[in-house]
């Protein structure tokens, strides 16, 4: 596997509110106006046509904890650019690559899942955690930018027979993951003119 991408482009949503950077060899699918509940509905795919992340806005953000599961934090980074003015009393958005469930499971199946994206949940402090909640506040309600880790889409080195969550940890060491992380953490309020929608 090669190094992380060095040539990047910038995409701005059709409503002109959010921008992010992405590798120039990847593409953005933006069927503007086709989201069933309004809002933005954008997919990012790599050069092989495999989806790397989805951006959705106008998402309902309410959540309940439910059953706690064994928890693994693989990666985390604060995202100050998305912090809402006047929300100092809330948890700021963070990029996370995290997992829940059975560490010996061969593949993902509820409740075993790993996912990367943006959350506003406070950092977990114990060995178990509530179900994943990778949403952040964005007018008029909330938004998401990320996706579940899938070894069929997310190119992962090592023994294919490794448990699913072991593969997720390995994926975090790849150049592809570094590109995914850089893309998602570049999400910010848009400034300047709106780009042409991607084809």
């Amino acid at each position: 596997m090669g190094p992380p991408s060095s040539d990047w482009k910038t995409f701005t949503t059709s409503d002109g509110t959010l921008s992010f950077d992405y590798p120039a060899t990847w593409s953005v699918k933006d069927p503007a106006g086709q989201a069933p509940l309004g809002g933005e509905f954008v997919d990012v795919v790599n050069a092989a046509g495999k989806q790397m992340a989805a951006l959705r806005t106008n998402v309902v953000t309410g959540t309940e904890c439910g059953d706690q599961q064994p928890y693994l934090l693989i990666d985390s980074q604060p995202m100050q650019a998305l912090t809402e003015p006047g929300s100092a009393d809330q948890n700021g958005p963070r990029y996370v690559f995290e997992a829940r469930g059975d560490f010996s499971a061969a593949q993902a199946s509820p409740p075993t899942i790993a996912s990367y994206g943006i959350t506003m949940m406070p950092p977990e402090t114990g060995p178990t955690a509530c179900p994943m909640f990778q949403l952040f506040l964005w007018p008029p309600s909330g938004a998401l930018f990320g996706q579940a880790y899938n070894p069929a889409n997310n190119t992962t080195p090592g023994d294919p027979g490794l448990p699913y969550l072991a593969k997720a940890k390995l994926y975090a060491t790849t150049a592809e993951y570094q590109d995914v992380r850089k893309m998602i953490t570049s999400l910010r309020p848009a400034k300047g003119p709106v780009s042409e929608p991607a084809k």
Side-chain angles (χ1 to χ4, degrees):
M1 301 180 73
S5 298
S6 57
D7 189 15
W8 290 71
K9 295 181 178 179
T10 298
F11 174 81
T12 300
T13 55
S14 57
D15 64 4
T17 63
L18 286 166
S19 291
F20 63 85
D21 305 324
Y22 65 100
T25 58
W26 295 6
S27 57
V28 179
K29 296 181 179 181
D30 180 19
Q34 296 181 27
L37 300 175
E40 296 298 310
F41 196 85
V42 173
D43 293 327
V44 184
V45 298
N46 67 11
K50 294 184 176 182
Q51 183 168 307
M52 295 288 98
L55 173 65
R56 307 285 187 263
T57 63
N58 199 25
V59 177
V60 177
T61 60
T63 184
E64 293 181 5
C65 184
D67 293 335
Q68 295 213 349
Q69 298 293 332
Y71 168 74
L72 173 67
L73 178 65
I74 301 170
D75 195 6
S76 178
Q77 176 182 319
M79 293 189 59
Q80 298 302 324
L82 294 177
T83 302
E84 290 276 314
S87 62
D89 57 335
Q90 299 179 2
N91 296 298
R94 291 183 298 131
Y95 168 82
V96 290
F97 186 16
E98 59 184 341
R100 305 285 191 282
D102 181 355
F103 286 69
S104 64
Q107 57 193 14
S109 62
T112 301
I113 191 74
S115 183
Y116 49 77
I118 303 168
T119 186
M120 294 190 70
M121 299 299 287
E124 303 292 345
T125 57
T128 62
C130 299
M132 274 187 230
F133 184 69
Q134 292 185 352
L135 297 169
F136 60 97
L137 295 177
W138 189 256
S141 52
L144 65 86
F145 190 26
Q147 75 175 19
Y149 165 72
N150 178 353
N153 279 350
N154 303 105
T155 305
T156 307
D159 181 353
L162 286 171
Y164 169 77
L165 294 183
K167 291 178 187 173
K169 290 172 70 175
L170 263 180
Y171 181 64
T173 69
T174 66
E176 182 182 277
Y177 173 74
Q178 293 305 314
D179 284 347
V180 166
R181 185 185 197 276
K182 181 176 177 180
M183 176 179 70
I184 295 174
T185 59
S186 76
L187 188 69
R188 60 201 179 269
K191 296 174 183 168
V194 178
S195 67
E196 290 295 316
K199 299 295 186 229

